[in-house]
Amino acid sequence: MKRLLLGSLILVVGALIWLLPDEHGDYPLAIEHLTSQVFRETVTPESLRDRYAAKSFTILLIPGHDRDYSGAIYGGLREADLTLALAAKLKADLERSGIGRVITTRDLVTGEYEPEFATYFAEEREEINSFRSQLRNKFASLLTTGEITPPDQIVHHNFAPAEVATRLYGINRWANDNGVDLTLHIHFNDYPGRRGAGKYNGFSIYIPERQLPNARASRDLALAVQRELGLIASISNFPGEVGSPIEDQELIAVGANGSRLSASFLVEYGYLAEAQFQNWVIREPILAELSRRTVRGLAQYLGTPMPLPDTTLLPHTWFGPMQIGIKGSREVLALQTALRRESLYPPAGKDLRQCPINGNFGPCVQATVFNFQRKYGLPRTGFVDMITLGQLNSRHSI
């Protein structure tokens, strides 16, 4: 009898431990299903990896906004144009990495929708709107009955015009019907009431809320990408986004109302007003770096060797001295990357929000150059003199 009681106690304790949340604050899938058995999980991390192993993995890139609805605008820079430029780099990196078939919703030169999508939006409009209405009505009913619960955290987004909503639901429907494994939405951020360059910076990732059918696989993929992006940029400090990746129940892009059956997430790659995007000299290398980090995250998740270097900014050969006050410099951008690789940047007590990698030689870079010089026994000047230049080139040049 005592042995039976002991065995039962062990089972109970084991069950309680199993029911604890994991490192992400998430509960085991079975527990999540106890709160909502409405949506059957339609994609799993295992099934995504199986698709990749079978060489049938397909990625759909959606450069945010379009020529009709350009999104955020700051300093003459349109979000729709910047997302297109990043999508072009992502497509090239993805194809060179061999991860899978890559499709884009927009032509990467003209910005117009690819003929297949333009035709789909026009000819399938009635079916798309019916798809949208049925899902929205069903979801609203489930919320009313309590079979689905509202999320704990709500980030308010700009209201999508009817045409934009139709296109986004159309993209989800097309992706479902064509067996797309991952839909990756590319965006840049802004916020209401901004004055000047603003007080917010950093990237954020939005994923399906955990009750949606594509939640788990989307989250795992997004976390892998977030880890890589976090090596070169900070997570957004906008209230509500500091807990990235952010679960969202209302974003059409990630599958609102159960409209997306496979993995989907949306990346806000930064704020338009940030220096690295506003300065045309370093915008292109920054976009190339964001692309490379995104693709590395996907490759690591899928367990595939990454044939491309870990950064687009090194190796680099420096030819002249650098000192505090230089702004928007490719030379400084490479310097910051080299110091980051040396585990010196940002300096102690600082992070990438306070010391962004943006091509500006400010106090953060100066402090790190001091540390680099101390590390290698060089004269501590705080600027990149010829002696320091030689050490940099010996370690980080070709």
Side-chain angles (χ1 to χ4, degrees):
M1 185 65 177
K2 289 181 179 179
R3 187 174 298 172
L4 180 61
L5 289 173
L6 179 61
S8 300
L9 180 61
I10 291 172
L11 286 173
V12 170
V13 171
L16 289 174
I17 292 173
W18 181 79
L19 295 180
L20 292 173
D22 64 16
E23 68 271 21
H24 309 299
D26 297 321
Y27 290 90
L29 185 61
I31 288 298
E32 292 181 10
H33 282 189
L34 288 177
T35 61
S36 175
Q37 298 181 6
V38 177
F39 286 114
R40 177 180 59 86
E41 190 175 39
T42 52
V43 60
T44 66
E46 296 76 19
S47 67
L48 280 184
R49 291 192 177 98
D50 288 345
R51 291 272 294 174
Y52 172 74
K55 300 187 183 302
S56 59
F57 199 81
T58 302
I59 300 172
L60 177 62
L61 299 177
I62 302 101
H65 303 285
D66 52 40
R67 296 176 68 87
D68 299 324
Y69 302 92
S70 61
I73 301 176
Y74 179 75
L77 184 62
R78 302 188 335 151
E79 182 181 3
D81 297 332
L82 198 56
T83 61
L84 202 68
L86 179 52
K89 295 184 183 302
L90 277 166
K91 186 173 190 293
D93 274 349
L94 284 165
E95 289 176 341
R96 282 182 291 183
S97 71
I99 287 180
R101 180 185 177 214
V102 185
I103 308 167
T104 63
T105 54
R106 291 200 283 150
D107 183 288
L108 298 178
V109 176
T110 67
E112 301 288 352
Y113 280 104
E114 293 283 3
E116 183 168 5
F117 287 94
T119 301
Y120 187 80
F121 295 151
E123 294 183 353
E124 298 286 323
R125 177 170 295 274
E126 186 175 337
E127 288 77 6
I128 292 169
N129 286 330
S130 175
F131 170 75
R132 171 189 178 187
S133 297
Q134 289 176 15
L135 289 174
R136 289 179 67 182
N137 291 339
K138 177 183 177 183
F139 204 86
S141 174
L142 294 172
L143 283 169
T144 300
T145 60
E147 293 174 85
I148 289 178
T149 57
D152 296 330
Q153 177 184 3
I154 299 177
V155 178
H156 296 286
H157 306 283
N158 291 335
F159 178 76
E163 180 61 26
V164 173
T166 296
R167 291 174 186 176
L168 288 171
Y169 273 104
I171 288 169
N172 284 352
R173 184 172 180 264
W174 186 94
N176 292 342
D177 292 345
N178 287 274
V180 171
D181 298 290
L182 170 63
T183 48
L184 172 54
H185 291 257
I186 304 159
H187 283 261
F188 289 86
N189 224 334
D190 203 356
Y191 65 94
R194 174 185 42 72
R195 294 181 180 180
K199 58 184 177 180
Y200 299 117
N201 55 35
F203 74 94
S204 56
I205 302 182
Y206 285 84
I207 59 175
E209 194 265 335
R210 67 190 62 196
Q211 296 171 96
L212 294 174
N214 61 337
R216 192 162 62 106
S218 300
R219 183 200 66 187
D220 286 1
L221 267 172
L223 281 169
V225 170
Q226 179 168 293
R227 281 191 291 270
E228 277 293 317
L229 290 176
L231 297 175
I232 60 165
S234 63
I235 291 176
S236 170
N237 59 341
F238 186 80
E241 290 188 335
V242 292
S244 181
I246 304 122
E247 293 186 15
D248 201 295
Q249 203 175 78
E250 298 179 351
L251 267 183
I252 305 169
V254 301
N257 303 310
S259 59
R260 183 71 181 101
L261 300 181
S262 194
S264 185
F265 60 91
L266 180 151
V267 185
E268 299 271 12
Y269 278 93
Y271 283 80
L272 281 184
E274 291 184 64
Q276 62 268 33
F277 303 124
Q278 285 295 309
N279 189 303
W280 66 271
V281 174
I282 62 169
R283 184 186 304 149
E284 184 175 344
I286 283 292
L287 293 180
E289 189 71 358
L290 291 171
S291 170
R292 183 62 52 85
R293 293 295 174 176
T294 301
V295 176
R296 281 183 61 82
L298 295 176
Q300 288 172 4
Y301 178 80
L302 294 169
T304 180
M306 181 63 175
L308 305 176
D310 65 332
T311 177
T312 61
L313 299 172
L314 296 174
H316 182 86
T317 301
W318 292 268
F319 293 100
M322 292 169 280
Q323 61 186 5
I324 195 164
I326 298 175
K327 291 186 177 181
S329 165
R330 286 188 179 222
E331 299 286 287
V332 174
L333 195 64
L335 171 64
Q336 290 172 310
T337 307
L339 295 172
R340 180 78 168 157
R341 180 173 279 181
E342 295 271 352
S343 300
L344 297 173
Y345 190 86
K350 302 288 185 179
D351 58 28
L352 287 175
R353 177 168 298 110
Q354 300 160 306
C355 302
I357 297 175
N358 60 5
N360 294 346
F361 197 127
C364 291
V365 177
Q366 183 181 48
T368 310
V369 169
F370 270 120
N371 293 333
F372 178 82
Q373 292 166 334
R374 179 173 58 187
K375 180 177 179 179
Y376 293 105
L378 308 177
R380 296 185 63 199
T381 62
F383 66 90
V384 180
D385 52 25
M386 296 310 293
I387 297 175
T388 306
L389 202 67
Q391 182 71 298
L392 274 170
N393 281 328
S394 71
R395 299 187 62 79
H396 300 287
S397 184
I398 295 172

